[in-house]
């Protein structure tokens, strides 16, 4: 797994890193590559099209099996067409919102596509269209988009209050669901540090669309994996996020970006250190080397040397967060009426009980 992960990561840099380009070509010439493992891992990390694009630009495709190249081309073309539709949908949403004096800031993959971050738009696999609004514009945006035909992807009798974004909405004949954000972080203790006010002040307009600064694009790419998906606690990395960080590190100083924060600086610096490790000492991914970071990298590498122990550790962490989250929700239910209403609706929902029975394996 480690060999495959590191091989894919280096392949993602061959367009911009000559040292890695030479090493990958040498490896392709002299080593038998387990292409099934490469396909499986790059697909699970959502970097399969990016892998194809970088190997193509380096003129390395002739080293690959012909049927694999044909498959990669097919998937890449499908993703390019999807991204074209996402860009069109995002621009239409932007025009609608601006016409009603509501300014969105586009985030994550869609924001990167609109900003022209990638040499080829197909390099980024995108799920939803994410954007964030000021506290004043947030309820207006929800009302406007619902009136415009967007409705819930999944309908429940209850919705958790205080989430970082409004429930996912979709519209018929549009390719992507949308997430209307009021916050950028799921863990509340960090919200005061990295929020709409923080990112709005140096956001920029590109072709009529507002996106984050390159430094905050990089920070959010790390936050999405490291904080919102608990990567910092699991000591894991998502290559899609890491690839974004690599590309953005060519446009802004990565170490300065993560060190501009306070509480978030250490977990973000740890992700940067892991990127430096996995992408094979790329200069633009230089990080602040501390004792804490060294311990993190040691733990990060242990997942490869002792995967069973790492898996047990992750399960324990998941159980901890599961319990901590439930205790926090109960505490909020005692203090706040909206949480009490949510808890009552959830506990009396037949749909919720059905979901739990399926999760526990008692029902299909």
């Amino acid at each position: 797994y480690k060999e495959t992960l590191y091989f894919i990561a280096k392949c993602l840099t061959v367009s911009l890193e000559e040292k890695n380009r030479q090493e990958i070509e040498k490896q392709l010439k002299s080593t038998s590559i387990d292409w099934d493992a490469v396909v499986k891992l790059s697909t699970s990390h959502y970097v399969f099209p990016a892998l194809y694009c970088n190997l193509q630009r380096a003129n390395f495709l002739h080293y690959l099996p012909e049927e694999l190249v044909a498959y990669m081309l097919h998937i890449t073309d499908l993703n390019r067409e999807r991204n074209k539709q996402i860009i069109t949908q995002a621009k239409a949403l932007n025009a609608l919102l601006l016409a009603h004096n509501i300014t969105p800031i586009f985030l994550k993959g869609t924001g990167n596509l609109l900003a022209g971050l990638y040499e080829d738009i197909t390099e980024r696999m995108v799920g939803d269209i994410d954007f964030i609004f000021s506290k004043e514009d947030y309820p207006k945006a929800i009302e406007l988009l619902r009136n415009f035909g967007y409705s819930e992807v999944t309908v429940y009798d209850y919705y958790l209050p205080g989430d970082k974004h409004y429930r996912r909405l979709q519209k018929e004949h549009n390719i992507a669901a949308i997430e209307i954000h009021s916050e950028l972080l799921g863990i509340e203790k960090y919200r005061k540090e990295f929020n709409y006010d923080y990112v709005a002040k140096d956001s920029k307009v590109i072709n009529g669309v507002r996106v984050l600064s390159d430094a905050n694009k990089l920070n959010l790419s790390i936050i999405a994996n490291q904080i919102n998906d608990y990567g910092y606690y699991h000591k894991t990395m998502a290559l899609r996020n890491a690839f974004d960080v690599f590309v953005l590190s060519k446009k802004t100083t990565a170490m300065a970006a993560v060190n501009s924060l306070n509480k978030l600086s250490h977990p973000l610096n740890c992700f940067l250190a892991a990127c430096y490790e996995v992408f094979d000492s790329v200069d633009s991914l230089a990080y602040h080397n501390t004792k804490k970071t060294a311990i993190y990298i040691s733990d990060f590498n242990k997942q490869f040397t002792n995967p069973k122990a790492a898996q047990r550790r992750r399960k324990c962490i998941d159980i901890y967060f599961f319990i901590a989250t439930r205790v926090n929700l109960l505490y909020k239910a005692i203090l706040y009426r909206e949480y009490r209403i949510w808890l009552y609706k959830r506990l009396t929902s037949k749909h919720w009980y059905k979901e739990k029975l399926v999760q526990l394996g008692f029902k299909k």
Side-chain angles (χ1 to χ4, degrees), residues 242-258:
F243 177 62
D244 282 351
V245 169
F246 167 72
V247 175
L248 285 160
S249 74
K250 302 301 181 182
K251 295 180 174 293
T252 188
T253 307
M255 191 191 299
V258 303

Side-chain angles (χ1 to χ4, degrees), residues 185 187-190 223 225-236 263-264 266-267 270 296 299-300 310 313-318 320-321:
L185 285 121
I187 297 179
E188 292 179 16
K189 70 176 181 178
Y190 295 122
I223 285 167
N225 178 88
Q226 198 77 330
I227 306 299
N228 292 340
D229 293 338
Y230 302 120
Y232 173 68
Y233 307 96
H234 289 148
K235 308 296 186 289
T236 55
K263 289 180 181 178
L264 282 165
H266 173 65
C270 286
Y296 180 91
D299 289 341
F300 176 79
R313 184 177 179 276
R314 284 196 288 270
K315 281 185 179 178
C316 290
I317 290 167
D318 287 340
Y320 166 78
F321 277 110

Side-chain angles (χ1 to χ4, degrees), residues 4-5 10 53 63-64 112 175 200 243 268 275 300 315 343:
T4 306
L5 180 76
K10 285 175 76 171
C53 288
Y63 294 119
L64 279 62
N112 292 345
I175 195 161
F243 177 62
L268 269 61
C275 288
F300 176 79
K315 281 185 179 178
L343 184 61

Side-chain angles (χ1 to χ4, degrees), residues 183-197:
E183 299 286 350
L184 294 166
L185 285 121
I187 297 179
E188 292 179 16
K189 70 176 181 178
Y190 295 122
R191 286 183 178 178
K192 287 183 180 178
E193 185 172 356
F194 197 78
N195 51 36
Y196 175 86
D197 290 336

